[in-house]
Each structure stands twice: as C-alpha cells, then as structure tokens.
C-alpha cells in the first residue's frame, strides 16, 4: 500500500509541476526603413554696409570692405555673384569697383564670412556743390549679392 501511495504521490507531483511550469516566451522581430527628404538651402545673413571716403583728385585709391555671412547646407556647392562689379554712383559721379573674397565654395552648415572690397580709383573729380557730399539719396547705391546653389 505504501508503494501505491508513493506512486500516486509521485504522479500528483509530476502532474502538478506540469500544470505550474512556466510558459515559454516567444519573440518576433521585423524591420522598417525611415525615409528622409532634405531640401538644401542657402541664406545671406548680417550684411554690413560698405563705406568709402574720397577727396576729389586724391592721388591714392580709396578702399572699404563689407562682410556678409553665407550659410548653406553642409557640402552644398554654391557660387556668389554681385549685380555689378563696376558702378558710377548717380549722386557723386564717382566710379568704384567691387570684388568678392570668394566666388565659389561648399556649405558647412555654419556662417561663412564673405568679404566685399570696394575701390574708388584715384584722380576722379566727382560731383559736389558743397564742402562735402554723400550718396545718401543715390538711386543706384544699393548692390545685390546673389547666391546660386
């Protein structure tokens, strides 16, 4: 009888361990792509005015500079152009030239400083009916920098 009891107890114990056995965990994985579209761009920021002072018939040229920040998408190639490289001012009748420190570059994602240098050649008379004149009201004093990318 003890033997039957032992076998019955063992059977119950085995059955109980089957009923309380931990469940097996299963996993499944999948992959997906993330698609991005970046639209490249350039900006012109913080241009400073270019100022030059000239005295009629002076023997040396007058120069001045302006700085302009160009910010383009990283690695984006761009080129710069001024609307005119040689201008005769409408008010003072002084002729000046403009030059860029660089005409082509690639964007870095940060501001890149471009210098515009102005030069008034020596020996010019100019127009001025008073002791001193400016081109404050000149119709053609504003210049345009174009970034092409």
């Amino acid at each position: 009888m003890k033997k039957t009891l032992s076998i019955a107890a063992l059977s119950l114990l085995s059955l109980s361990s089957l009923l309380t056995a931990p469940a097996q965990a299963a996993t499944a994985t999948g992959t997906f792509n993330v698609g991005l579209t970046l639209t490249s761009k350039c900006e012109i920021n913080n241009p400073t005015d270019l100022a030059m002072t000239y005295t009629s018939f002076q023997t040396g040229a007058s120069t001045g500079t302006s700085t302009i920040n160009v910010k383009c998408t990283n690695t984006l190639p761009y080129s710069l152009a001024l609307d005119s490289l040689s201008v005769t001012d409408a008010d003072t009748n002084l002729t000046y030239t403009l030059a860029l420190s660089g005409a082509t570059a690639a964007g870095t994602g940060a501001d890149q400083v471009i210098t515009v240098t102005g030069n008034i050649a020596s020996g010019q008379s100019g127009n001025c009916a008073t002791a001193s004149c400016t081109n404050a009201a000149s119709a053609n004093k504003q210049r345009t920098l174009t970034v092409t990318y």
Side-chain angles (χ1 to χ4, degrees):
M1 168 98 166
K2 276 192 177 198
K3 206 177 203 185
T4 308
L5 214 40
S6 287
I7 291 175
L10 271 173
S11 294
L12 281 174
L13 188 56
S14 291
L15 184 58
S16 130
S17 69
L18 287 176
L19 293 176
T20 60
Q24 293 294 324
T27 61
T29 60
T31 60
F32 62 95
N33 294 320
V34 176
L36 302 174
T37 301
L38 171 64
T39 301
S40 296
K41 118 179 203 185
C42 289
E43 298 176 346
I44 296 175
N45 300 309
N46 306 318
T48 60
D49 289 339
L50 192 155
M52 294 183 280
T53 302
Y54 187 84
T55 300
S56 291
F57 313 113
Q58 75 182 42
T59 57
S62 176
T63 60
T65 60
S66 168
T67 57
I68 301 170
N69 293 327
V70 176
K71 181 172 27 176
C72 293
T73 303
N74 194 33
T75 71
L76 178 67
Y78 66 88
S79 62
L80 301 169
L82 290 166
D83 62 334
S84 184
L85 298 177
S86 181
V87 179
T88 300
D89 183 71
D91 280 359
T92 63
N93 199 37
L94 292 173
T95 300
Y96 62 89
T97 59
L98 298 173
L100 293 167
S101 61
T104 62
T108 63
D111 282 338
Q112 293 173 283
V113 179
I114 305 300
T115 302
V116 179
T117 302
N119 185 306
I120 302 173
S122 63
Q124 297 183 60
S125 168
N127 291 341
C128 186
T130 62
S132 178
C133 296
T134 69
N135 71 337
S138 183
N140 69 339
K141 72 176 184 174
Q142 190 172 53
R143 305 280 37 105
T144 301
L145 174 68
T146 301
V147 180
T148 302
Y149 55 95

